[in-house]
Amino acid sequence: MLDSFFLRMLNREASAPGSGADKIIDALGVKEGEVIADLGSGGGYFSCEFARRVGKTGRVYAVDVKERNLSFVERLCEQEGLKNVTFVLARGKQMDLPEGGVDLAFARNTFHHLPEPVSYFENFRRYLISGGKVAIIEHKPKKGLSFVALFRHYTPQEVILQKMNEAGYSLVESFNFLPGQVFDLFGID
Ligand SMILES: C[S@@+](CC[C@H](N)C(=O)[O-])C[C@H]1O[C@@H](n2cnc3c(N)ncnc32)[C@H](O)[C@@H]1O
């Protein structure tokens, strides 16, 4: 009950105009037939949007560590008639994804949850196609009494860059159109 309230709240935030969801997906150049892993899919708003973009010939893997989050996203996909989403329960770095089969990994507000981001993304390389990309979106540091500030619900951009470099990725592009968030796209070195 509380979980689904929280997940609906995540989806309301993700779908609000200020979150720039359409612009994010456009910037990533998502195409029909692609395979996308939504890492830390939460309430699944982006998983569903990606599923519509990649169409019947593509696939989205909604990945989360919480089974109840995945059940919520599964129900949402059923309601929306989306049949091209697979639900993957992650056990730390282990996840049931096709090796060498993922075009894009997308981690929005998830990076700061990862206890060992370097080994996580080092390991993730095995799932990416050659030329595959990883998109990371995190809140910018905030001061004061906001939820993001109080719970350190962010990773500073310099830390993201450093950890991704250590994991063997280089920055392809840094998008600046999200006022409250950093949005970086990485490729494999
Ligand atoms: C703040 S929510 C973000 C949800 C969604 N990406 C969004 O933008 O609305 C973070 C999500 O990451 C999940 N998570 C935490 N650690 C994870 C891990 N190691 N692998 C996959 N998901 C994880 C949480 O269960 C939660 O659903």
Side-chain angles (χ1 to χ4, degrees), residues 10 40-42 63-66 69 108-110 113-114 120 153:
L10 284 181
S41 47
V63 180
D64 209 289
V65 280
K66 291 189 181 161
N69 291 7
R108 180 177 182 270
N109 299 343
T110 299
H113 284 281
L114 304 173
Y120 182 91
H153 197 49

Side-chain angles (χ1 to χ4, degrees), residues 69-142:
N69 291 7
L70 292 173
S71 305
F72 179 94
V73 182
E74 195 167 358
R75 282 196 300 277
L76 187 62
C77 290
E78 265 166 33
Q79 282 162 18
E80 304 206 0
L82 297 166
K83 296 188 173 26
N84 57 346
V85 183
T86 302
F87 309 95
V88 178
L89 185 63
R91 306 227 175 261
K93 289 175 278 187
Q94 295 313 315
M95 50 199 117
D96 194 7
L97 295 175
E99 298 218 357
V102 173
D103 294 281
L104 173 72
F106 179 79
R108 180 177 182 270
N109 299 343
T110 299
F111 194 94
H112 64 277
H113 284 281
L114 304 173
E116 295 172 353
V118 174
S119 59
Y120 182 91
F121 282 105
E122 254 170 7
N123 174 69
F124 198 85
R125 292 167 58 126
R126 76 170 76 166
Y127 302 120
L128 288 171
I129 62 159
S130 152
K133 304 277 186 297
V134 175
I136 293 177
I137 297 179
E138 283 278 287
H139 285 290
K140 289 178 182 163
K142 287 198 175 83

Side-chain angles (χ1 to χ4, degrees), residues 28-47:
L28 292 170
V30 173
K31 292 186 216 48
E32 206 163 321
E34 284 189 337
V35 175
I36 298 182
D38 184 11
L39 305 177
S41 47
Y45 178 77
F46 274 91
S47 295

